Amino acid sequence: MPQSFTLEKNSNIVILTGAGISQESGLETFRDPDGIWSKVRVEDVATPEAFKKNPDYVHSFYNMRRARHLIAAANPNDAHMALARLETQWPGQVTVITQNVDSLHESGGTQNLIHMHGVHSKARCDHCQHAVPWEGDMSTATVCEGCGDVGGMRPHVVWFGETPLELGRIQAVLVACDLFVSIGTSGNVYPAAGFISVVQQIGRAHTVELNLEPSLGAALFSEGRYGPATEVVPSYVDEVLATL
Ligand code: BV8
């Protein structure tokens, strides 16, 4: 911990995570060289227009990813576990905001969690908004339990051009945080990529980036630690807990 920064025992900690924290659990990231967006186009699978134009193709994309996430769900890594340990042992509030739609933070033990881009483990009807837990495949023939329609069921995820979830709750924790830690995100996608600027403008929090390599927003952080999440995250959590 840099000498210039002291963390009080009741400090509030906010952690933003992206696909990089799940990479060592076997889930692909989006923008690494072999990432998801090197295989399919965002415009074809992750927008409401894509779903309207070719719902079968969008369903096949999410059915494949949901199946992979189900396998990985049993495999939270040391970074997920370290964040759960921090939440358990830190006297102040610890909030994890994740861009990820996998359930690895839950499997790793994190409880105070915001899925701002939705989750693979839920489906929602575009016709009546009825949302249900979901594990298997989905198609245009899937019947909505709420309104009985077919063709409206979709993954409960936030596509590009759609409004992220729980933005009010996110704003409240960003404004009140004393330590903001960004983990495993490239800083490409807004509004998540803008959270560091929100925190910096308020000017009270220490800000840290833990990533494999500097993100687009790296220069905005008070400090950065670079390496695999399963190394840099547990090490940083130990450092924070050692201040107690
Ligand atoms: C919004 C869906 C308005 C589920 C995702 C035109 C029209 C409309 C909007 C826009 C527009 N132009 C721009 C926008 C805004 C747009 C946007 O940001 N576009 C970008 C691309 C320019 N955003 C939106 O549309 C958002 N909505 O703006 O609504 C609004 C705004 C505010 C208030 C009210 C209304 C909605 C965005 C959500 C899109 N949905 N996911 C799914 O299919 O998964 S985004 C998708 O990208 C995932 O959620 C992912 O998590 C997220 C961000 O990517 P990263 O997590 O950062 O992953 P990436 O691969 O990029 O990086 C991985 C990082 O990890 C790298 O740095 C790598 O080095 C590192 N790493 C790799 N391995 C490791 C590691 N680090 C540590 N250890 C390792 N082992």
Side-chain angles (χ1 to χ4, degrees), residues 159-176:
W159 284 326
F160 287 94
E162 295 186 321
T163 304
L165 308 175
E166 304 209 58
L167 290 176
R169 186 176 158 204
I170 289 171
Q171 180 69 14
V173 295
L174 290 177
V175 165

Side-chain angles (χ1 to χ4, degrees), residues 17-21 23-24 29-32 37 46 61-62 65 99-101 117 120 157-164 167 183-191 210-215 227-230:
T17 66
I21 198 171
Q23 188 270 331
E24 291 164 271
T29 63
F30 289 86
R31 294 171 188 82
D32 284 331
W37 299 147
F61 173 67
Y62 280 94
R65 286 185 57 214
Q99 300 172 85
N100 301 338
V101 293
H117 290 162
H120 267 314
V157 300
V158 177
W159 284 326
F160 287 94
E162 295 186 321
T163 304
L167 290 176
I183 303 172
T185 182
S186 63
N188 272 284
V189 176
Y190 288 83
L210 306 177
N211 212 48
L212 194 61
E213 59 198 13
S215 72
T230 55

